[in-house]
Amino acid sequence: MATLTLRIPLFIFALGVSVFLCDLIRESQVVNSFVASMSFWVVAVAFMIGFEKTGLSEKKVPLLYGVLVALVGVFIEFLVEPQDILSLFPL
């Protein structure tokens, strides 16, 4: 059975969750737009550092599990920004 390390799937997952958390920060309207836009990168980098420090990104898993982790990240991003789904299907 084919295996892969979780580095790339976790990166895609971290980007999807970062979009979700950044959207929550932006909707709270407590911070200005610059801080809200920088929060995306801060959250994404924090996730990646956490994955690297815990060794989770080095885990070898079956290919299906890696694809599922990446698809969950993409699904979360599509939930937050549904207009991105429409951009996949140009008219």
Side-chain angles (χ1 to χ4, degrees):
M1 180 178 265
T3 62
L4 75 142
T5 58
L6 278 177
R7 181 167 281 126
I8 304 244
L10 285 176
F11 177 71
I12 295 170
F13 177 79
L15 291 178
V17 173
S18 297
V19 168
F20 173 73
L21 294 176
C22 182
D23 191 53
L24 288 178
I25 292 170
R26 189 175 295 122
E27 286 179 3
S28 70
Q29 298 177 349
V30 175
V31 296
N32 62 21
S33 62
F34 175 74
V35 173
S37 64
M38 286 303 296
S39 66
F40 171 78
W41 293 109
V42 170
V43 171
V45 168
F47 269 111
M48 294 311 298
I49 289 173
F51 293 150
E52 290 293 328
K53 291 287 185 181
T54 60
L56 190 60
S57 63
E58 295 296 324
K59 296 281 185 184
K60 288 200 178 277
V61 296
L63 182 64
L64 179 64
Y65 292 165
V67 170
L68 287 176
V69 168
L71 286 178
V72 167
V74 171
F75 180 71
I76 291 171
E77 196 271 335
F78 282 160
L79 283 177
V80 175
E81 298 179 348
Q83 69 273 12
D84 290 349
I85 297 172
L86 298 176
S87 68
L88 293 175
F89 307 105
L91 297 176

